[in-house]
Amino acid sequence: MKHTLLRRAVATLCAGLMASTPALACTDVRLMAKDGSAFSSRTMDFGMDLESALLIVPRGNEVVSPAPKGNGLTWKGKYGYVGMNAFNLSMMADGMNEKGLGFGALYLPGETKYQDVPADGSAKALSNALFGDWVLSNFETVEEVKAALNGVTVWGESMPQFGSFIPLHFTIHDATGKSIVIEYVGGAAKVYDNTVGVLTNSPTYDWHIQNLRNYVYLSPLNAGPEKIGNVTYTGTGQGSGLYGLPGDPTPPSRFIMAVASSHLAIQPANSAEALTQAQHIMNRVDIPRGMVRDYSKTTKGPVAGDYTLWTVFRDHANLVYYWKTYDHPNLRAIDLTKIDFSKGQSIRQWAITTSQPAAEMIDSKDLKPAKLQ
């Protein structure tokens, strides 16, 4: 993967970002089953079709990141991985590797400022667009990622088509259930243990954690009857303990909804139950097309905003990567234990929008070499 191709690829992605509403809305949730299995899921919400495909990247894949001047960090992947790209690019917006390490990139506008690359620091320069590939190809655990962060300088390329860098923060889960959030704010890396297992968008993760204090009253137990004077009043139905739970699509509300749904629901027994529960949780933050709209200064009217393009489910214990798309909501999946990740294999892909029977497991033999920009 040469940096000149990467520059053109990022430019294409940025052009797509400019064409859509800026309020990118994604939600990521981690679950822990009673048997210790880790499971996570996320939505990709965007204002236009990202033309995503499932990519399969082998071990030993060589990556050359761009730097502000010339080439930056170079590495050969230690692990094979799968995940979702955008606009036919060789970079990951989401994924999981053969060791069960999962990654997701979510939008963080208005907050993100990446690191500055010193004049003599190009060898450590890592483009923010390649952060996911760096994580998935090199590490097995969250602790390994933490330890390696000081060895890279994560910077944001400014593209004419975008007018700036792509503001992203990152969530990483491993097979033990450990989870972190990495944000670049004020030119420095901020690393948080993801104690609630949830991430959405702006503001920053620490703000969302503080905002949870406004919702400590939420309970799965229905409120009891109250007597006022000589009259006893009972609730009008089920769910009175959750009265006031936000339901709008804003990032703070989705954060609260996801935390409440994942922590108040009955804990799944295993990965199979976690998959079922994760689908129900993701349905609560799913955005139908047209429900969110932006205002166009050009047309002086509303234009289509974000909707849930695709949703993925990462089974970290059994190494199965599931997904569904807006127009094809039946689950598809690929078993990482059956993929040939050996060095020398080409990067392969699968079109995620093809209509297939529910829960069909894609055979790795059907994967096609990716013709990436």
Side-chain angles (χ1 to χ4, degrees), residues 31-216:
L31 299 174
M32 290 300 299
K34 290 180 180 178
D35 67 359
S37 299
F39 199 96
S40 64
S41 54
R42 68 85 57 89
T43 61
M44 170 57 82
D45 307 319
F46 208 83
M48 63 178 295
D49 185 3
L50 292 177
E51 303 174 14
S52 295
L54 177 78
L55 292 188
I56 294 83
V57 183
R59 306 179 201 111
N61 183 54
E62 183 174 355
V63 184
V64 181
S65 174
K69 295 182 180 179
N71 292 344
L73 186 71
T74 301
W75 74 92
K76 289 185 179 181
K78 184 177 179 181
Y79 303 115
Y81 55 98
V82 305
M84 297 294 181
N85 74 341
F87 298 117
N88 198 35
L89 311 180
S90 53
M91 58 186 70
M92 291 297 180
D94 189 274
M96 185 171 70
N97 71 16
E98 59 183 313
K99 296 298 183 179
L101 187 73
F103 166 85
L106 288 73
Y107 212 57
L108 187 67
E111 308 281 356
T112 302
K113 183 182 184 302
Y114 294 105
Q115 296 171 307
D116 294 325
V117 178
D120 60 350
S122 291
K124 295 172 56 177
L126 173 62
S127 168
N128 65 307
L130 284 174
F131 192 86
D133 294 86
W134 177 70
V135 167
L136 293 170
S137 65
N138 286 306
F139 307 109
E140 181 175 351
T141 68
V142 159
E143 293 303 322
E144 289 179 0
V145 177
K146 280 184 178 180
L149 281 175
N150 287 335
V152 295
T153 304
V154 179
W155 71 288
E157 286 191 90
S158 181
M159 293 292 170
Q161 295 90 336
F162 187 63
S164 181
F165 51 78
I166 308 172
L168 300 169
H169 58 171
F170 310 107
T171 181
I172 301 169
H173 316 287
D174 66 26
T176 71
K178 287 188 177 181
S179 179
I180 58 172
V181 171
I182 301 172
E183 298 178 339
Y184 287 88
V185 179
K190 306 290 185 181
V191 182
Y192 303 97
D193 289 326
N194 193 353
T195 54
V196 297
V198 171
L199 186 64
T200 58
N201 313 105
S202 300
T204 55
Y205 178 80
D206 55 338
W207 183 96
H208 286 289
I209 293 299
Q210 287 297 316
N211 188 45
L212 281 174
R213 298 170 63 189
N214 292 315
Y215 298 91
V216 294

